[in-house]
């Protein structure tokens, strides 16, 4: 026992720990940076770039680290690159770890729901901001446990560097044991030292996890214990203020023109020549069976999808294309979305999962218009009040009901000050009893604000009360359109008539 304690505090071995830590740090941080680069390359749309990343992974993941260490230390000098043992160990460890980091980062980015990117793009965030503010924080949180375990594995792998005579802990333990023959005590002490070091890494990982834990941040932000927070939040849902029926607007300036739009996904022709006009202040309900292309049309309008043929313009501005008709990079498209003033509300809400309700609403002011944080959040609070959600301003999306999430989604779109708001079946993912609260909010936007809206919906009663016009689509074409009452009460097209009868039967 005495000799064990003696070895545990022996300067010779402690110096080995220092070298182990250096090699681990080089391997970990170098591997992380190189891995991030590889992950970016692997996610690239350019096949060659992605191919280079994949080839790298195949080579470095498929060969033993020991060989890589020996290669870096003994083969590189032939190419005129002579590295000290510590640098050689750092380079080999980093090169090897990079492949694992790349996979961790790539899978955590891919693990973030596509809807998050869609929502951020629809708000007009530029690609770098989407990555930094929306994807990065969510992917980063998801990656922490795996990154922690990679750090532990880097430290254990650093022991292999004893083969290139790096005087780290394992090599020193070996040397000491060969000299004293006290194998058991020395390796026991060395094992305990490794355990302490890797234990410290695990501890660090837990601290980082706790620091960025959303629920914990949430409790701190509220400054009150969870129980009371829940009690306060569990208040009754707001009673919607009854609003008068919408007075049909007189069509004035054209806000949006869709003409001859075609779109196919592979062989599947989804839109086959769609024409549509939306006037300022007008509310148009887009009806049609599931799969008729409503969502695709809305996504084409704000250029979340690219057009195959035809054109779409907001008062002369074609989002996604230059004046001469060439496609623009996403960075410029983002700016165009803002200029066109097109906002979107999604069927599945797509609220940013790592942000509270008020932070969600403040995204566009803060990260598109550059409004200072406090000011943006104060404005967000006002918008939340307007959709009846003041009490839930600090809640995370997953703490909200579907109806509340959708109301935040509407407030978030409104914060972008849209001139044209696209709503893709805003209530169809909701439980029946939550539909009304969302429809009331939309109705008040139509009636009180006179907001120009294109709403894909199956709510016939709502369409009749709120929409000025109904456009009926099936199989990628507009079959019938006209004033709401006319289309809903006496559809001319037999397909439209059959569909309306079927939906109507379900509604009553
Ligand atoms: P709706 O919203 O009217 O239900 P959608 O526009 O969502 O219809 O879909 C129309 C058709 O296009 C469907 O058959 C759907 O499977 C197909 N589709 C939509 N998006 C994609 C996509 N990204 N890739 C392939 N097919 C798609
Ligand atoms: Mg749809």
């Amino acid at each position: 026992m005495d000799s064990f304690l003696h070895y545990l505090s022996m300067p010779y071995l402690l110096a080995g720990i220092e070298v182990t830590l250096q090699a681990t740090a080089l391997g970990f941080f170098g591997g992380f940076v190189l891995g991030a680069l590889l992950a970016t390359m692997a996610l690239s749309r350019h096949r060659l770039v992605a191919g280079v990343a994949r080839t790298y992974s195949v080579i470095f993941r498929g060969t033993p680290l020991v060989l890589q260490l020996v290669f870096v230390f003994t083969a590189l000098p032939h190419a005129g690159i002579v590295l000290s043992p510590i640098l050689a160990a750092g380079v080999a460890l980093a090169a090897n770890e990079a492949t694992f980091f790349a996979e961790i980062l790539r899978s955590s980015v891919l693990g973030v729901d596509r809807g998050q990117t869609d929502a951020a793009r629809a708000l007009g965030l530029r690609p770098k901001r989407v990555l930094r503010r929306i994807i990065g924080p969510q992917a980063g949180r998801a990656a922490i446990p795996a990154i922690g375990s990679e750090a532990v594995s880097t430290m254990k792998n650093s022991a292999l560097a004893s083969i290139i005579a790096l005087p780290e802990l394992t090599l020193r333990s070996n040397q000491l044991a060969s000299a004293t023959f006290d194998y058991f005590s020395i390796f026991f002490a060395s094992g305990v030292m490794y355990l302490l070091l890797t234990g410290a890494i695990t501890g660090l990982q837990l601290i980082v996890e706790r620091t960025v834990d959303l629920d914990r941040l949430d409790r701190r932000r509220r400054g009150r214990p969870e129980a009371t927070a829940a009690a306060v939040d569990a208040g009754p849902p707001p009673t919607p203020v009854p609003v008068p029926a919408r007075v049909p607007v007189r069509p004035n300036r054209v806000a949006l023109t869709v003409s001859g739009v075609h779109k196919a996904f592979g062989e599947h022709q989804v839109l086959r020549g769609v024409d549509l006009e939306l006037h300022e202040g007008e509310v148009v309900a887009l009806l049609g069976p599931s799969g008729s292309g409503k969502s695709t049309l809305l996504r084409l309008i704000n250029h979340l999808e690219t057009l195959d043929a035809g054109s779409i313009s907001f008062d002369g501005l074609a989002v996604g294309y230059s004046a001469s008709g060439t496609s623009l990079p996403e960075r410029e498209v983002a700016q165009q979305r803002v200029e066109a003033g097109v906002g979107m509300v999604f069927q599945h809400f797509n609220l940013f999962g790592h942000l509270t309700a008020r932070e969600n609403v403040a995204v566009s002011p803060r990260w598109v218009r550059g409004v200072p944080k406090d000011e943006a959040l104060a404005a967000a609070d006002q918008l939340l009040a307007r959709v009846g959600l003041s009490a839930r301003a600090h809640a995370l999306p997953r703490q909200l009901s579907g109806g509340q999430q959708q109301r935040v989604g509407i407030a978030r779109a409104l914060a972008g000050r849209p001139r044209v708001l696209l709503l893709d079946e805003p209530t169809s993912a909701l439980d029946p009893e939550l539909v009304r609260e969302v429809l009331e909010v939309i109705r008040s936007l139509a009636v009180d604000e006179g907001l120009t809206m294109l709403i894909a919906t199956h709510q016939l009663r709502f369409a009749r009360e709120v929409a000025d016009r109904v456009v009926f689509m099936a199989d990628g074409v507009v079959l019938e359109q006209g004033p709401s009452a006319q289309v809903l009460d006496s559809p001319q097209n037999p397909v439209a008539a059959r569909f309306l009868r079927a939906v109507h039967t379900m509604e009553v």
Side-chain angles (χ1 to χ4, degrees):
M1 188 65 193
D2 276 355
S3 59
F4 165 70
L5 289 177
H6 165 67
Y7 291 125
L8 211 49
S9 56
M10 189 180 192
Y12 185 70
L13 290 183
L14 293 180
I17 288 186
E18 197 182 324
V19 178
T20 289
L21 285 174
Q22 284 170 356
T24 305
L26 283 174
F28 179 80
F29 292 109
F32 186 86
V33 172
L34 193 57
L37 182 70
L38 281 177
T40 314
M41 289 169 70
L43 291 169
S44 160
R45 254 169 297 175
H46 300 286
R47 285 229 183 113
L48 185 68
V49 177
V52 169
R54 204 160 304 130
T55 312
Y56 179 98
S57 284
V58 168
I59 295 174
F60 279 86
R61 210 163 51 171
T63 51
L65 177 58
V66 174
L67 291 189
Q68 292 162 19
L69 278 161
V70 173
F71 179 84
V72 171
F73 194 57
T74 60
L76 287 188
H78 294 295
I81 306 170
V82 182
L83 299 176
S84 63
I86 180 70
L87 265 185
V91 167
L93 277 171
N96 186 266
E97 286 301 329
T99 64
F100 298 97
F101 276 121
E103 291 301 294
I104 292 171
L105 295 175
R106 196 170 68 93
S107 60
S108 53
V109 165
L110 291 177
V112 177
D113 187 66
R114 274 297 306 262
Q116 301 282 301
T117 314
D118 282 347
R121 291 173 68 203
L123 284 172
L125 262 74
R126 293 170 177 221
K128 277 194 186 138
R129 290 257 163 99
V130 177
L131 190 64
R132 172 149 171 243
R133 301 293 186 179
I134 307 298
I135 308 298
Q138 300 188 61
R141 276 188 179 86
I144 293 170
I147 289 175
S149 110
E150 240 3 83
V152 169
S153 134
T154 311
M155 174 163 291
K156 291 193 298 186
N157 283 340
S158 72
L160 292 173
S162 55
I163 200 158
I164 57 169
L166 180 71
E168 42 71 66
L169 186 54
T170 300
L171 180 69
R172 285 185 185 233
S173 309
N174 251 323
Q175 287 171 338
L176 201 59
S178 313
T180 59
F181 296 104
D182 195 1
Y183 281 94
F184 177 76
S185 298
I186 291 172
F187 281 109
F188 192 39
S190 149
V192 168
M193 286 172 173
Y194 272 114
L195 266 182
L196 289 175
L197 293 175
T198 53
I201 293 177
T202 307
L204 204 62
Q205 174 198 325
L206 292 178
I207 291 173
V208 175
E209 272 179 42
R210 254 175 73 82
T211 314
V212 300
D213 176 50
L214 288 172
D215 289 317
R216 199 172 149 274
L217 285 174
D218 174 48
R219 284 198 294 278
R220 268 230 318 253
R221 214 170 354 221
R222 293 159 188 243
R224 50 197 156 107
E226 202 166 22
T228 36
V232 169
D233 291 334
T239 26
V241 188
V243 280
R246 180 177 162 84
V247 183
V249 293
R250 188 167 304 179
N252 36 25
R253 267 167 66 134
V254 176
L256 169 70
T257 313
V258 173
S259 66
V261 161
H262 283 75
K263 177 71 185 176
F265 291 108
E267 295 287 288
H268 185 187
Q269 196 68 41
V270 175
L271 296 181
R272 301 177 296 142
V274 174
D275 298 304
L276 189 72
E277 242 180 27
L278 202 62
H279 293 86
E280 264 178 24
E282 201 180 20
V283 176
V284 170
L286 194 56
L287 301 185
S290 178
S292 55
K294 302 180 296 295
S295 298
T296 304
L297 178 62
L298 295 179
R299 292 170 61 83
L300 281 164
I301 290 174
N302 63 358
H303 204 69
L304 291 181
E305 302 284 355
T306 52
L307 282 170
D308 288 348
S311 67
I312 293 174
S313 77
F314 293 85
D315 197 14
L317 173 70
V319 172
Y321 304 92
S322 69
S324 60
T326 50
S327 292
L328 292 174
E330 179 67 20
R331 186 166 33 87
E332 289 174 41
V333 179
Q335 179 62 29
Q336 285 184 324
R337 288 191 185 101
V338 179
E339 278 168 28
V342 56
M344 184 147 185
V345 172
F346 295 85
Q347 184 173 3
H348 298 286
F349 332 129
N350 297 0
L351 293 185
F352 305 125
H354 62 305
L355 300 177
T356 60
R358 68 201 293 257
E359 287 169 343
N360 262 279
V361 179
V363 162
S364 159
R366 282 171 78 186
W367 296 323
V368 175
R369 292 205 305 276
V371 174
K373 184 178 174 186
D374 290 344
E375 207 176 302
L377 288 172
D381 288 338
Q382 287 183 1
L383 279 169
L384 284 175
R386 199 156 117 202
V387 296
L389 279 176
S390 290
R392 307 299 333 252
H394 292 274
L396 288 165
R398 60 175 173 205
Q399 299 163 332
L400 297 172
S401 73
Q404 292 172 333
Q405 288 191 53
Q406 192 57 297
R407 286 188 276 151
V408 176
I410 293 170
R412 178 178 67 178
L414 291 179
R417 299 185 185 155
R419 283 195 290 280
V420 175
L421 186 60
L422 312 171
L423 300 100
D424 189 5
E425 299 201 32
T427 59
S428 58
L430 299 177
D431 292 331
E433 74 272 21
L434 302 177
V435 168
R436 206 181 58 145
E437 65 186 49
V438 172
L439 289 183
E440 286 306 326
V441 167
I442 300 172
R443 185 202 308 270
S444 104
L445 292 177
V447 175
D448 304 341
E449 318 277 327
L451 191 62
T452 312
M453 292 193 272
L454 180 57
I455 313 175
T457 181
H458 287 297
Q459 303 285 334
L460 299 189
R461 201 175 305 140
F462 172 76
R464 182 191 308 275
E465 288 165 11
V466 174
D468 300 299
R469 257 188 320 131
V470 163
V471 171
F472 180 82
M473 268 179 77
D475 222 2
V477 286
V478 174
L479 287 184
E480 181 161 356
Q481 59 174 311
S484 309
Q486 183 190 311
V487 175
L488 293 170
D489 293 337
S490 44
Q492 302 300 302
N493 184 287
V495 179
R498 201 165 347 117
F499 173 80
L500 293 173
R501 256 199 319 275
V503 176
H504 186 68
T505 321
M506 283 189 310
E507 229 179 31
V508 236

